[in-house]
Amino acid sequence: MTPEDERRGRILILGLPYFGALLADALAGLGWRAEFLPHPGRSAAGWARVAKAAARADIVYLIGSRIDRASPQDRLLRLRRRPVVIHWVGTDVQIAVDEHRRHNISLRVAERPIHWCDAPWLVDELRTIGVVSEYVPLPIPIETAPAPPLPETFSVLLYYPVDAFDREVFDIETMLRLPLEFPAARFVLIPSPPETLPAPLPRNLEARAWVDDMEALYRETTVVVRLTSHDGQSFMAAEALSRGRYVIWTHPMPGCIKAEGPEAVTKALGSLLKKHDDGVLKLNTSGRRAALERFGKGRPLRELDERLRGLLR
């Protein structure tokens, strides 16, 4: 073990499973004794396991959080005195703002942990309820190999989650309108299968369930369209940009086309389609460069590692 490894400790990661498992593996690769535990639900044994792991951990790291007085986070902070990090990632901020409106904020959760956000606009939102936070990106597994050429058929990738709660911030009406506006284009919607969507679906829209091979899907994609009323940093947006794909998103990100509402989204997509039909649409090199500069070469992971080690000093 090197001296640098000795400065790392035991970290327990709780919260969103996809992000949590990825981060646990990444931190373990740097020498952290990192463990991710899923939400135990109603399992008493599961909660006991979480409590035991939290007591052992040098740092408890929450990806996503509640802030109300009856939350598990509030109960955790009644007992814990060692570092707790909350990394806010999207809808959890919206819920926190709602709880603040209802005068149901735990000051322990609001003031005692270290608060980070995975998108700059979330820092501004938390500030409105008195929570001081910093923008700290989560590591995103982007592609650094040469970008594959754009597909011959103009293809649009849409994202619409299966869970009803997550769907509330997505503009499905506009998404389902786009295939009708652009009948010559190909549309793929993930990860919601056809039976979960309002019928009939447009003929040029293929709805798929969960996709394991996203790399193959990105190769088939010209542009990703992500339409949300509230969001954190989209992993899909960064992944698509790193492969030279175009991204139309309602939130600002270098390399993306920011568009909100049916008219603006239709105009942005129509402009790309015209360039494709004219034979002049090239790889989104500026977007790829922006994604690599922000997320490439392990930059976010190195920043997280440095910040976390600082908490142990």
Side-chain angles (χ1 to χ4, degrees):
M1 181 178 289
T2 68
E4 187 170 314
D5 289 334
E6 291 173 358
R7 290 198 296 270
R8 293 171 171 85
R10 187 185 298 274
I11 184 166
L12 172 65
I13 302 175
L14 305 169
L16 297 176
Y18 177 75
F19 304 129
L22 278 178
L23 186 58
D25 287 344
L27 290 175
L30 296 178
W32 287 89
R33 286 167 289 170
E35 179 182 20
F36 170 74
L37 290 179
H39 194 289
R42 298 184 178 183
S43 167
W47 281 110
R49 184 185 177 196
V50 168
K52 184 177 179 181
R56 291 197 312 264
D58 298 301
I59 299 172
V60 173
Y61 190 123
L62 309 173
I63 303 183
S65 181
R66 295 264 299 280
I67 202 170
D68 53 281
R69 288 191 289 268
S71 64
Q73 292 82 355
D74 179 67
R75 292 194 291 272
L76 168 69
L77 288 161
R78 290 180 188 217
L79 303 173
R80 184 173 176 83
R81 293 296 177 264
R82 285 187 285 175
V84 174
V85 173
I86 297 178
H87 211 140
W88 301 85
V89 295
T91 309
D92 52 352
V93 175
Q94 193 176 40
I95 295 170
V97 171
D98 289 341
E99 293 294 352
H100 180 267
R101 193 177 296 118
R102 289 191 283 266
H103 306 287
N104 186 28
I105 289 288
S106 162
L107 291 180
R108 270 184 290 268
V109 181
E111 298 175 357
R112 193 177 296 169
I114 297 94
H115 293 279
W116 297 335
C117 295
D118 81 330
W121 55 87
L122 299 181
V123 175
D124 297 332
E125 290 182 41
L126 285 177
R127 189 180 297 117
T128 67
I129 64 171
V131 175
V132 178
S133 63
E134 290 184 84
Y135 167 48
V136 180
L138 280 167
I140 298 178
I142 61 170
E143 182 55 66
T144 57
L150 295 176
E152 291 186 9
T153 301
F154 188 86
S155 300
V156 182
L157 179 59
L158 305 171
Y159 181 83
Y160 189 55
V162 177
D163 183 79
F165 176 79
D166 293 333
R167 283 182 169 187
E168 290 179 3
V169 299
F170 282 80
D171 183 1
I172 187 61
E173 290 80 11
T174 298
M175 282 192 275
L176 292 180
R177 224 174 85 173
L178 291 175
L180 301 174
E181 296 275 354
F182 302 100
R186 173 177 176 261
F187 288 79
V188 176
L189 184 148
I190 61 169
S192 295
E195 60 270 19
T196 70
L197 301 170
L201 295 181
R203 290 186 178 183
N204 55 332
L205 172 64
E206 176 190 356
R208 299 185 187 178
W210 185 262
V211 176
D212 291 318
D213 189 0
M214 283 298 296
E215 186 61 44
L217 186 54
Y218 284 130
R219 286 179 175 273
E220 302 171 5
T221 298
T222 309
V223 54
V224 172
V225 175
R226 183 177 177 92
L227 306 179
T228 54
S229 60
H230 191 275
D231 223 337
Q233 172 60 56
S234 164
F235 274 43
M236 183 179 287
E239 291 166 357
L241 289 177
S242 73
R243 291 160 174 83
R245 274 45 191 165
Y246 291 86
V247 176
I248 298 172
W249 191 13
T250 45
H251 286 69
M253 179 181 179
C256 290
I257 301 168
K258 186 177 183 303
E260 185 174 0
E263 291 184 7
V265 173
T266 298
K267 181 180 179 181
L269 192 57
S271 176
L272 291 176
L273 179 57
K274 185 177 186 307
K275 289 180 181 179
H276 169 86
D277 291 343
D278 292 344
V280 296
L281 188 66
K282 308 299 182 184
L283 285 168
N284 182 9
T285 53
S286 61
R288 172 175 162 81
R289 188 181 310 114
L292 293 179
E293 286 175 355
R294 188 68 201 91
F295 298 103
K297 297 183 179 179
R299 287 185 182 90
L301 183 60
R302 287 202 308 273
E303 181 180 348
L304 270 182
D305 180 46
E306 183 177 343
R307 285 174 176 270
L308 291 170
R309 283 191 285 127
L311 298 180
L312 300 181
R313 294 176 189 141

